[in-house]
Amino acid sequence: MMLDIRDLRVSLPTERGLLNAVRGVDLQIARGQTLCLVGESGCGKSLTATSIMGLLTRQAQITTDRFEMAGQDLTRKPAAGLARMRGRDVAMIFQDPTSALNPTLTVGRQLTEGVMRSEKLSRRAAEARAVEMLERVGISNPAARLAQYPHGFSGGQRQRIMIASALMGRPKLLIADEPTTALDVTIQAQILQLLGELQADLGLSILLITHDLGVVAAIADDVAVMYAGRIVERAPARDLFVRPRHPYTRGLLAAIPVPGVTPRGSALPAIPGRVPGLIGTLRGCAFRDRCAQAAPDCAADPVPRHGIGAGRFVECVNPEEAST
């Protein structure tokens, strides 16, 4: 198992009280597997990723029953030990390459600085690896490109540079936070194909965070659906698309237009209501006020988790009813 997290909780202090943004997440990723974490904005996907990377602010309150990566118990590692793992064992592709890349530094310096410090590489060795990684992600004439600044590249090229930067430390786990959101459809397809090729070549495990179910269909082995800080359903990608079991998952899939089936210009189904506030204690199913199948039992706490076959579960009081 590359990543094994149990009961991850992340809370952030606010003027109105404690915001319980991640409320008991279990997350397991096997070696060489791609897990897509999906859900609407604000559900806790990016906070989950940044907590894995150890990049949350000092004000954040984090607890977990288990946090293992590549067999190492990270709950027992000091902050310095976690810092050494970043880049070497786990790396992250951030959502917006325009803001993630420093406009005042050359691409070469940004690619090489981390490995020169963490692996004590010489500049020449670090630049040789940077050229290799830029070539691997499809940047032409990579040796000459090291001297260029980020503004000299297109949006798709900057995203490729971000991927190359994440690969510089040769990590085992790659976290990609909305890596295609700011790109047009053609470049999105190229980036997804590139991630798949890199995974096959390097044996990477990938945690891909997205709200785009089209991206999920293209790349995922497994899918974890997140709502209001909890994972409410997990399933192999094919099973999830064929038979979603949680009503929230069904609502997400219903909102996707089907080419040749959905009439052009027609209104798509929408999930009614609003996401509940996460300040203070939230009990019972967080989706019940938006669910057409809600019953009095949905207020019970904790919400029952039902295992449905190998590697699949759903948190719902009536999972059979939800699947009809």
Side-chain angles (χ1 to χ4, degrees), residues 248-280:
Y248 176 61
T249 310
R250 294 176 64 212
L252 291 178
L253 292 173
I256 302 175
V258 180
V261 176
T262 305
R264 184 180 294 273
S266 64
L268 295 173
I271 300 174
R274 301 175 62 182
V275 178
L278 298 180
I279 292 178

